[in-house]
Amino acid sequence: MVASRRVVPLTLLALLLAAPVSQAFASATGLQADTFPIKHLFIMVQENHTFDNYFGYYPGVNGLADAKPQLNPNTTALVSPFEINRATIPKDLCHQPSCARTDYDNGSMDGFIKGEQNNETMGYFNPDLISDYWDYASQYVLMDNWYTPFMGPSLPNHIYLLAGQSGGITNNNVNITFSFPTIVDELDSAHVPWVYYAGSHSVTNGWNPLPSSTTYKKDHPGLTNLEETSDFPLDIQKPDFPSVAWLMPESDDTSEHPPYNVTSGELAVVSEINDIMKSQYWSSSAIILTWDDYGGWYDNAAPPQVDQYGFGFRVPALIISPFAKHGFVDDTLSEHASTLKLIETLFNLPSLGTRDARANNLLEAFNFEQVPRHPLVLPGPFVPDRYPLRYTNGSLLGPPPPGQPGTPLPPDTNYDLQYTGLLIVAVSAAVMVMAYASSARRRAAPPTQDSPPPGA
């Protein structure tokens, strides 16, 4: 009887430890639009970096471990990826469609130096220069199979971000007008509030195509819902913040667009994310941070070609939310139109019928059954500007990411760090319970005829 009473609490412990594990594998796709806990979606877009340029040696990703050295046609030398230890480069790289197609070389991914006429394309930034981005990846979700929709510069990609198409617009000429519908038209029709923050917000620029949309201007003759990015820190403190918000850089200085300082851009983004995390909206938020185009930088992954315009090259994307999986590298094929699909899913909107129709909705990056994550305000209690996150007493925040730098994890081993740890603990506890119960049964069993009684 005593042994039985001892087993009960151990069994309860195992069940309690195992409960989050079962929750971790619950599917989010069964939720209806009105039951999703995400009520505020923030889409943040920086400028001009490929995945490998920022995360090529992050553990467990499809990165630079097997990168293809590039031939410099002027010297016949082979150039391998090399680390950049400064936050700026001398000048911009070419990212027009002609350069992009040369870089791509029909999928061989071996024309970058020829296309760029510059060895700089093979560089990747020292993680110390963008350590907060790596810290977010270690604690939330890093997408390593996210592509730009168009193989070229900023403006067409930003139009895709809103419409799932660019209407054949292929350059950064801002003297344009387009009349096809965008996601803001659908949000307006459904009475879902939204806001678009961009520097020089009232005119079309490389990261703000809305002033060129005839449907937007018809419904918003005073260019309402367009705001300056500098207004965001105060706006997020107010009640009734819109359900969907796009945040573009405040200026070139914080855009990360070469030759501007990447660390300055990162710090501006971190400040905005901190503002969200400290606000009343964090508990119902999801943040998607990505980069608009490849900027002329090398990437090893050949983008799938779904039509004459793209996909373009792979760029980083981070998903940050109380409901985001923990330390998860997500290799699901995604693109900028995935943000459209997520908006449509969360707010029960019809498809635009463009790239969004086939796009991934990103729900695999979330676990809506987990205990919501606390905000990670940086630097907070951690040593500033360091990866991995380390408290000032020297201890680390959680286990390091699994896998080798720049090398994908084996199939079926890409996992959520938080719940993998719980699974190990739960299994260990269950084994201990079974062993203890077996031992208790043996001690409680009556002696056989061939065995002398205890103490005989």
Side-chain angles (χ1 to χ4, degrees):
M1 188 68 176
V2 173
S4 176
R5 287 199 299 269
R6 289 175 179 170
V7 170
V8 169
L10 285 172
T11 304
L12 289 174
L13 173 63
L15 291 173
L16 287 171
L17 288 169
V21 178
S22 63
Q23 294 172 357
F25 295 101
S27 171
T29 56
L31 296 176
Q32 300 299 314
D34 59 351
T35 63
F36 281 110
I38 297 172
K39 307 301 180 184
H40 295 90
L41 181 62
F42 300 86
I43 300 167
M44 308 176 71
V45 185
Q46 292 293 99
E47 294 273 300
N48 293 45
H49 293 278
T50 59
F51 184 89
D52 281 345
N53 182 241
Y54 268 8
F55 289 98
Y57 279 114
Y58 187 84
V61 302
N62 175 11
L64 289 170
D66 295 319
K68 182 180 296 186
Q70 305 281 297
L71 176 68
N72 184 321
N74 298 319
T75 66
T76 68
L78 288 175
V79 181
S80 295
F82 60 90
E83 188 172 83
I84 299 174
N85 291 298
R86 59 190 187 280
T88 62
I89 64 170
K91 64 177 184 179
D92 194 11
L93 297 171
C94 179
H95 43 288
Q96 295 303 316
S98 58
C99 296
R101 287 293 169 182
T102 301
D103 298 342
Y104 173 68
D105 192 18
N106 296 312
S108 296
M109 306 297 283
D110 60 6
F112 281 83
I113 295 179
K114 179 181 178 181
E116 301 301 323
Q117 293 294 302
N118 192 333
N119 286 353
E120 200 83 43
T121 182
M122 299 300 293
Y124 61 91
F125 282 94
N126 183 325
D128 288 344
L129 298 169
I130 49 170
S131 57
D132 290 340
Y133 288 157
W134 279 50
D135 289 334
Y136 287 141
S138 72
Q139 301 302 312
Y140 297 101
V141 176
L142 173 63
M143 311 290 294
D144 80 338
N145 201 22
W146 182 297
Y147 295 87
T148 56
F150 175 69
M151 196 175 286
S154 292
L155 182 56
N157 281 297
H158 277 270
I159 299 174
Y160 270 96
L161 185 72
L162 293 172
Q165 62 168 311
S166 70
I169 295 167
T170 61
N171 57 45
N172 280 341
N173 180 5
V174 297
N175 298 313
I176 57 169
T177 299
F178 60 88
S179 58
F180 45 83
T182 69
I183 193 67
V184 303
D185 302 324
E186 291 193 346
L187 291 168
D188 284 338
S189 296
H191 305 291
V192 177
W194 62 273
V195 61
Y196 193 103
Y197 291 96
S200 302
H201 67 286
S202 61
V203 297
T204 297
N205 58 46
W207 49 55
N208 179 19
L210 281 174
S212 292
S213 167
T214 59
T215 56
Y216 162 75
K217 289 193 292 186
K218 178 182 177 182
D219 293 335
H220 300 267
L223 299 183
T224 53
N225 298 55
L226 294 185
E227 303 292 344
E228 283 290 328
T229 306
S230 57
D231 295 335
F232 176 73
L234 288 178
D235 289 351
I236 194 65
Q237 299 178 37
K238 299 175 183 177
D240 301 320
F241 189 85
S243 300
V244 181
W246 289 266
L247 282 88
M248 305 302 148
E250 183 175 340
S251 67
D252 288 335
D253 290 340
T254 58
S255 69
E256 301 171 41
H257 189 303
Y260 296 99
N261 189 299
V262 298
T263 304
S264 296
E266 179 205 49
L267 292 176
V269 169
V270 170
S271 178
E272 293 167 347
I273 293 176
N274 283 346
D275 288 338
I276 297 169
M277 290 185 168
K278 290 185 288 187
S279 77
Q280 61 185 298
Y281 305 107
W282 166 250
S283 62
S284 60
S285 288
I287 303 166
I288 299 175
L289 169 62
T290 189
W291 282 256
D292 65 348
D293 72 69
Y294 84 119
W297 296 102
Y298 170 75
D299 193 83
N300 86 89
Q305 297 302 285
V306 297
D307 57 36
Q308 69 186 94
Y309 299 113
F311 297 144
F313 296 103
R314 192 174 57 148
V315 292
L318 292 160
I319 297 179
I320 300 168
S321 170
F323 314 103
K325 293 179 179 179
H326 185 273
F328 181 56
V329 175
D330 189 344
D331 62 1
T332 308
L333 178 64
S334 304
E335 57 139 326
H336 288 359
S338 294
T339 64
L340 300 175
K341 191 62 167 285
L342 180 58
I343 293 170
E344 293 161 359
T345 302
L346 293 177
F347 301 103
N348 198 25
L349 303 179
S351 172
L352 289 166
T354 55
R355 288 272 191 87
D356 62 316
R358 294 180 292 170
N360 172 39
N361 63 15
L362 305 177
L363 291 184
E364 79 290 338
F366 299 95
N367 177 7
F368 296 115
E369 299 298 324
Q370 71 186 16
V371 175
R373 313 277 301 282
H374 294 294
L376 180 67
V377 176
L378 297 177
F382 306 103
V383 178
D385 306 321
R386 289 292 183 271
Y387 167 84
L389 282 170
R390 186 180 300 274
Y391 292 100
T392 52
N393 66 6
S395 61
L396 294 176
L397 177 64
Q404 298 301 311
T407 303
L409 292 171
D412 302 323
T413 61
N414 212 6
Y415 55 86
D416 179 337
L417 286 177
Q418 177 182 2
Y419 290 101
T420 299
L422 286 171
L423 178 62
I424 293 171
V425 173
V427 171
S428 300
V431 171
M432 291 173 61
V433 167
M434 289 186 290
Y436 189 90
S438 176
S439 174
R441 285 195 300 270
R442 287 197 300 270
R443 289 197 300 271
T448 63
Q449 291 182 348
D450 296 332
S451 303

